[in-house]
Amino acid sequence: MNHDTAAHRLLVVDDDLDIRTLLAEQLGRAGYQVLTAADGAQMPQQLQRERSDPVVLDLNLPREDGLTLCRDLRAQSSLPVIMLTARAEPIDRVLGLEMGADDSLAKPFEPRELLARIRNVLRRTEALPANLEPPPLRQARFGEWLFDLEQRHLVAA
């Protein structure tokens, strides 16, 4: 088992049992702990029960589609999302990215490519500082004036 993947738990959300099973097996062999959900109703239940690192989310789900689920998830969380889609048009992958997905992959896909994308998303998200506050503002410009916030004085710019 790869020590880099041992601590990572993935949630695979796909209505196709064969795909869920295949991904769970392949990702499990790669060292990930894999949770699965068959639809948008099961997804939040799984996320409430277990922590997940990325979510691998199918675009075409019954009732609530993957785009809506991704948008809703993004509104509440910064959890990484990788969208899977069987739709042939590039616009479908683009829409997933615009809804907040971190990556998108067309079905059918090479399992090694999905693994590489998962590793890449995890590497990017783990490299981010926990708190992304901007650096403190030290000066403010007002027309021809510059106010030094630390020294608390105003000078001509």
Side-chain angles (χ1 to χ4, degrees), residues 47-113:
L47 290 173
Q48 286 175 357
R49 271 185 284 210
E50 302 272 355
R51 173 190 59 81
S52 179
D53 295 308
V55 174
V56 178
L57 178 60
D58 185 22
L59 183 65
N60 298 318
L61 293 171
R63 292 178 294 282
E64 212 171 3
D65 67 30
L67 291 174
T68 303
L69 293 169
C70 182
R71 184 194 64 216
D72 294 349
L73 184 61
R74 187 57 63 233
Q76 307 166 21
S77 163
S78 61
L79 186 66
V81 176
I82 298 173
M83 296 289 297
L84 299 179
T85 180
R87 296 180 188 171
E89 297 299 317
I91 190 65
D92 295 312
R93 291 188 302 279
V94 171
L95 283 172
L97 296 170
E98 288 177 347
M99 288 294 131
D102 296 276
D103 203 346
S104 183
L105 188 59
K107 292 178 183 178
F109 55 86
E110 170 62 39
R112 286 185 62 191
E113 182 179 1

Side-chain angles (χ1 to χ4, degrees), residues 94-132:
V94 171
L95 283 172
L97 296 170
E98 288 177 347
M99 288 294 131
D102 296 276
D103 203 346
S104 183
L105 188 59
K107 292 178 183 178
F109 55 86
E110 170 62 39
R112 286 185 62 191
E113 182 179 1
L114 177 60
L115 276 170
R117 289 173 184 265
I118 289 169
R119 287 185 193 114
N120 188 42
V121 165
L122 287 170
R123 191 171 36 252
R124 279 195 328 259
T125 56
E126 289 173 349
L128 293 174
N131 189 354
L132 294 176

Side-chain angles (χ1 to χ4, degrees), residues 12 16-26 36:
V12 174
D16 186 316
L17 177 61
D18 293 335
I19 291 175
R20 279 196 322 271
T21 303
L22 177 69
L23 288 177
E25 289 172 0
Q26 290 179 340
T36 62

